[in-house]
Amino acid sequence: MNIDRWTRRIALLFVALTALLSGCTTYVTTQVTAFSAWSGSDATRTYAFTRRDDQQNNLELSAYERIVANELAVHSFREVARNDARYLVELAYGIRSDIVTVAEPVYYNPWPGPYWGRRPFDPWGPWGPFPATYVNQSYPVFTHLLGVRITERASGNEVYNVTARNFGGESSLVRAMPYLARSALADFPLANGAVHTVKIPAGGAGPGVNEVSLPAATPGGASAPAAASGAKAGQ
């Protein structure tokens, strides 16, 4: 899956701004785009995963399929043998890295220790009496991607295709995948051409104001971490 040039620039700008406020971030924010011709019912939501020939023994893909299966089960999908399935589900995933450079302020305070920055001993406070100078700091930024494509097994027609994308300092796609999977399938099925944002509490943070909690993961698939136990979405 390709990220166009403007999307990358916007993403890097977003991360540059949030890097200065890293201590305040409490959500994993994921952009979700869906294309849909969905007309299925709960009674017909049987599926099997499908793979290319070169993916048959891919252990990484197996792990991601279990995470996605867990989220599909929330929406009444039931995994069965391929010949018994109405739908085939295919995954695409990836991670890429970029470097973002941020100009960060550095303050000079000539007041001697041990009372530097401590009022009333230091009349200038922690910022000092001189204007800030700026030093460029570089940070790695990672883009995580998950695509879920659903086709009818009998006809081969594509009925649902959703992509989830998020950005941040997490270098592991494995750790990002539960958030991607839950975001991709939030509010299933989305309208054709829908683009929205899903926010999931990170690091065990509780639900936020006006948050829509996603259903708890069901047995039978790989459980998402506690950090992905709730989400809120906005158009």
Side-chain angles (χ1 to χ4, degrees), residues 23 29 53 66 68 87 91 105 110 131 137 146 155 161 185-186 190 206 208 219 230:
T29 301
D53 290 341
R66 291 308 96 210
V68 171
Y87 300 107
L91 304 186
Q137 297 286 351
L146 171 66
S155 66
N161 195 331
L185 294 168
L190 294 172

Side-chain angles (χ1 to χ4, degrees), residues 31-73:
Q31 184 185 68
V32 177
T33 304
F35 296 94
S36 176
W38 185 261
S39 60
S41 67
D42 289 353
T44 59
R45 289 185 180 180
T46 56
Y47 76 96
F49 285 106
T50 184
R51 300 180 176 188
R52 301 191 311 268
D53 290 341
D54 60 350
Q55 296 176 321
Q56 294 307 310
N57 297 311
N58 189 319
L59 294 178
E60 180 183 13
L61 178 54
S62 295
Y64 299 155
E65 287 175 345
R66 291 308 96 210
I67 295 173
V68 171
N70 199 49
E71 298 303 327
L72 286 169

Side-chain angles (χ1 to χ4, degrees), residues 26 34 47 52 62 73 90 94-95 99 111 141 148 172 183 194-195 205 214:
T26 57
Y47 76 96
R52 301 191 311 268
S62 295
E90 183 177 5
I95 184 171
I99 297 295
W111 195 260
V141 178
V148 181
S172 170
S183 299
V195 179
L214 293 179

